[in-house]
């Protein structure tokens, strides 16, 4: 586990950049909280929640919104929260069936932009480099992500996956792994602490499912700077997410 000093220096480093400078928020919890959103959900519930970031999961929409609706909703979300736009492909555990590269490109070409964009490392080096460059040009923070819904690799593999992602120079690196036993959750947390010390960018990690809930609560103590929660029992976007009020009660 990180010493309190290291944890707070690094955490405040990122929060200063992302939130204090841009939103002038006074954070009262130890890690950033993101909640998923689709237009089928109650907007007021999402906007009035304690979340710092709303993750609009475009792949979970019944159909992709047209440009007018998209700009409208994004503006509404942005007037209350930081917004992360995610189009999760099928192969990474989402519902996205359109050409990934095209959807992310269109998001970044629009005149209303999200604050953050999720880019999947498994789309391949060429697509990743191109989308990261576009996000940089448009001044949208990039989160390079990797998901494994079946298992958690061993320590060496996890470290090398994370370092490989970091070498693309995104603004943030995120990995979500499925544990089969508690040892998998502990390994991910320990790898998080190890990588957090050497990475040049913020790291977000989580173990999914029931077993992994612990990582969503105490991950920040190991250097994971954001946790995903939900506003209600039925609105989660991945297994094991806690309801935000339960998460806050644990903190
Ligand atoms: O990458 C992530 C993390 C996540 O899969 C989770 O396990 O909480 C939830 C997704 O919505 C998000 O894009």
């Amino acid at each position: 586990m990180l010493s309190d000093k290291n944890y707070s220096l690094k955490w405040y480093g990122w929060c200063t950049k992302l939130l204090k400078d841009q939103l002038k928020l006074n954070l009262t919890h130890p890690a950033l909280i993101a909640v998923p959103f689709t237009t089928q959900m109650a907007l007021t519930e999402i906007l009035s929640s304690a979340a710092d970031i709303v993750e609009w999961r475009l792949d979970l929409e019944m159909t992709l919104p047209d440009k007018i609706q998209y700009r409208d909703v994004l503006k509404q979300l942005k007037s209350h929260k930081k917004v992360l736009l995610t189009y999760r492909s099928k192969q990474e555990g989402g519902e996205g069936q359109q050409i990934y590269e095209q959807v992310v490109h269109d998001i970044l070409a629009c005149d209303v932009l999200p604050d953050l964009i999720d880019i999947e490392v498994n789309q391949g080096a060429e697509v990743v480099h191109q989308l990261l460059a576009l996000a940089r040009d448009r001044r949208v923070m990039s989160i390079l992500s990797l998901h494994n819904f079946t298992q958690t690799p061993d320590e060496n593999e996890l470290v090398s996956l994370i370092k490989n992602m970091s070498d693309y120079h995104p603004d943030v690196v995120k990995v979500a792994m499925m544990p089969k036993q508690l040892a998998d959750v502990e390994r991910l947390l320990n790898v998080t602490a190890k990588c957090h010390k050497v990475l040049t960018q913020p790291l977000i990690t989580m173990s999914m499912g029931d077993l992994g809930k612990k990582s969503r609560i105490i991950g920040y103590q190991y250097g994971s700077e954001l946790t995903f929660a939900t506003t209600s029992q039925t609105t989660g976007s991945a297994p094991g997410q806690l309801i935000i009020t339960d998460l806050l009660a644990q903190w």
Side-chain angles (χ1 to χ4, degrees):
M1 205 185 294
L2 295 166
S3 73
D4 273 0
K5 191 167 164 248
N6 279 344
Y7 140 67
S8 60
L9 277 179
K10 183 117 191 211
W11 182 64
Y12 281 119
W14 189 45
C15 286
T16 301
K17 180 168 169 6
L18 178 69
L19 291 171
K20 291 211 170 147
D21 284 1
Q22 295 180 36
L23 268 192
K24 313 215 183 316
L25 275 186
N26 273 329
L27 295 182
T28 52
H29 36 260
L32 296 168
I33 306 173
V35 291
F37 165 79
T38 66
T39 50
Q40 289 100 60
M41 292 179 193
L43 190 61
T44 46
E45 193 177 61
I46 304 277
L47 297 183
S48 62
S49 76
D52 308 293
I53 296 172
V54 173
E55 182 190 40
W56 189 0
R57 283 285 303 261
L58 270 185
D59 60 293
L60 299 180
E61 295 291 350
M62 309 277 204
T63 50
L64 282 181
D66 63 29
K67 199 164 174 188
I68 296 174
Q69 193 198 1
Y70 172 78
R71 291 170 82 258
D72 239 42
V73 174
L74 189 51
K75 275 186 186 167
Q76 274 190 68
L77 293 173
K78 278 185 71 170
S79 65
H80 290 78
K81 305 278 184 193
K82 286 282 166 188
V83 180
L84 162 63
L85 239 297
T86 298
Y87 186 71
R88 180 74 60 237
S89 67
K90 276 251 178 207
Q91 65 265 29
E92 286 283 304
E95 294 298 329
Q97 303 211 56
Q98 314 257 0
I99 300 168
Y100 181 85
E101 187 185 346
Q102 187 63 55
V103 177
V104 177
H105 189 280
D106 288 350
I107 291 168
L108 292 171
C110 188
D111 59 340
V112 184
L113 290 165
D115 302 285
L116 304 112
I117 182 102
D118 185 292
I119 298 172
E120 297 175 353
V121 71
N122 277 339
Q123 295 294 329
E126 199 182 323
V127 172
V128 169
H129 281 303
Q130 188 210 323
L131 293 177
L132 285 175
L134 188 56
R136 216 167 291 128
D137 272 5
R138 304 288 279 146
R139 304 212 190 310
V140 174
M141 283 185 88
S142 55
I143 302 187
L144 192 59
S145 72
L146 174 69
H147 301 79
N148 188 328
F149 280 83
T150 53
Q151 51 134 354
T152 306
D154 67 28
E155 174 163 346
N156 287 344
E157 194 184 336
L158 267 178
V159 170
S160 88
L161 286 170
I162 292 172
K163 287 204 170 135
N164 168 53
M165 292 169 76
S166 168
D167 288 345
Y168 279 100
H169 304 296
D171 293 310
V172 183
V173 170
K174 173 177 69 177
V175 297
M177 298 286 149
M178 187 60 85
K180 289 183 178 157
Q181 50 201 356
L182 210 51
D184 294 333
V185 181
E186 274 149 19
R187 187 167 68 259
L188 183 74
L189 287 170
N190 291 328
V191 165
T192 304
K194 199 169 167 178
C195 291
H196 171 84
K197 285 189 192 136
V198 293
L199 250 56
T200 50
Q201 58 277 87
L203 177 62
I204 301 168
T205 68
M206 69 227 71
S207 271
M208 296 184 281
D210 266 350
L211 270 176
K213 278 185 174 159
K214 171 184 170 187
S215 72
R216 298 184 186 273
I217 302 167
I218 62 162
Y220 74 87
Q221 294 172 7
Y222 295 76
S224 177
E225 318 222 19
L226 180 152
T227 189
F228 284 83
T230 106
T231 44
S232 76
Q233 219 123 37
T234 53
T235 53
S237 62
Q241 287 174 344
L242 283 95
I243 296 178
I244 193 163
T245 44
D246 294 342
L247 173 70
L248 291 170
Q250 297 275 346
W251 282 347

